[in-house]
Amino acid sequence: MENSSRNILYLSGQIVSDIEFSHESHGTLFYTFKLETRRLSGTYDVINTIIRQETAEEHNLAVGDFISTQSELRSFNQKTETGNRLIISAFIKELTLCKENTYENALHLTGTICKEPVYRKTPLGREICDIMLATNRKYGRSDYLPLIVWGRNARAAGTFRTGDVITVCGRVQSREYTKLIDGVETVRTAFEVSVSSIEEVSFEE
């Protein structure tokens, strides 16, 4: 039995930060910028993106441009003075320029649950389940992506176990939180996948 992985993110919005050097890998240069996209409620999410140098230069990207992309949602652990921090970014694979006020944020994932799901209820009784999902990519690498599931979907997700393969649809969202570091309150941004649908993948023998 083979576990399949899928990681497709359709992301459209406006570039809201300078395009800056990120890193070099196997002789290829990569750059980063922040892309702002909007939910139906009007709330904005600001997503970190990674792009190959040649792709950025081909489209002569600049702050204020609206772009439409097909990406993958990727993660890596950044070492800090207070420990490892999971960094989530959209890795752009295809890109086109688009009209102003074009927003899309649709994510499709299939992967393996790598930690026991955590089901709970808010003080107001709303059901939530947190899941850490691993998706595989080339060269034996994996991305570890935090999911948040609500309502009846959360109740179902709470029955899943480590090693189960699931497929989900949703969006990437950003939220600010305050963390106390060395006695100083520091505002940070967390990224997670807000799940709209979820189901377990079954494999035939």
Side-chain angles (χ1 to χ4, degrees):
M1 181 180 72
E2 292 184 358
N3 290 349
S4 60
S5 282
R6 177 177 63 160
N7 186 333
I8 304 174
L9 172 61
Y10 299 101
L11 195 62
S12 301
Q14 185 178 30
I15 297 174
V16 292
S17 73
D18 291 334
I19 300 166
E20 301 176 340
F21 175 75
S22 171
H23 64 281
E24 180 179 354
S25 179
H26 303 292
T28 301
L29 301 180
F30 295 89
Y31 284 74
T32 183
F33 58 85
K34 296 184 183 299
L35 187 70
E36 184 179 79
T37 188
R38 186 168 61 188
R39 307 181 199 175
L40 292 176
S41 64
T43 301
Y44 286 89
D45 293 294
V46 180
I47 311 301
N48 298 322
T49 66
I50 302 291
I51 189 171
R52 291 184 176 89
Q53 179 187 31
E54 58 267 30
T55 306
E57 291 179 346
E58 175 186 354
H59 297 279
N60 194 27
L61 297 179
V63 174
D65 286 345
F66 278 82
I67 61 173
S68 180
T69 77
Q70 179 176 321
S71 306
E72 290 181 347
L73 194 62
R74 294 190 176 180
S75 69
F76 73 93
N77 276 316
Q78 182 183 67
K79 293 183 178 179
T80 69
E81 295 179 356
T82 56
N84 288 336
R85 183 183 177 195
L86 189 68
I87 304 297
I88 305 294
S89 300
F91 181 83
I92 296 174
K93 304 189 76 174
E94 299 177 13
L95 180 149
T96 57
L97 296 174
C98 61
K99 296 180 181 179
E100 290 187 3
N101 300 318
T102 299
Y103 299 103
E104 183 179 18
N105 185 344
L107 180 63
H108 307 276
L109 295 172
T110 301
T112 304
I113 296 175
C114 55
K115 288 184 179 180
E116 284 296 307
V118 177
Y119 171 84
R120 65 190 191 279
K121 289 185 178 181
T122 69
L124 295 178
R126 192 174 186 190
E127 296 173 286
I128 305 175
C129 188
D130 297 310
I131 293 177
M132 185 63 74
L133 190 71
T135 61
N136 299 326
R137 50 183 162 104
K138 292 181 179 179
Y139 311 116
R141 297 183 179 180
S142 297
D143 294 294
Y144 298 92
L145 306 172
L147 316 182
I148 184 165
V149 192
W150 302 90
R152 287 180 294 178
N153 285 333
R155 200 178 316 152
T159 67
F160 297 152
R161 294 293 176 259
T162 301
D164 287 347
V165 179
I166 61 172
T167 184
V168 305
C169 295
R171 68 170 189 271
V172 187
Q173 66 182 24
S174 61
R175 59 178 175 83
E176 291 188 344
Y177 67 99
T178 301
K179 184 172 183 178
L180 197 64
I181 301 176
D182 296 330
V184 178
E185 289 189 349
T186 303
V187 177
R188 286 187 168 179
T189 303
F191 298 91
E192 59 201 2
V193 177
S194 179
V195 173
S196 57
S197 67
I198 184 170
E199 61 180 322
E200 186 176 3
V201 176
S202 60
F203 295 90
E204 296 182 358
E205 297 292 337

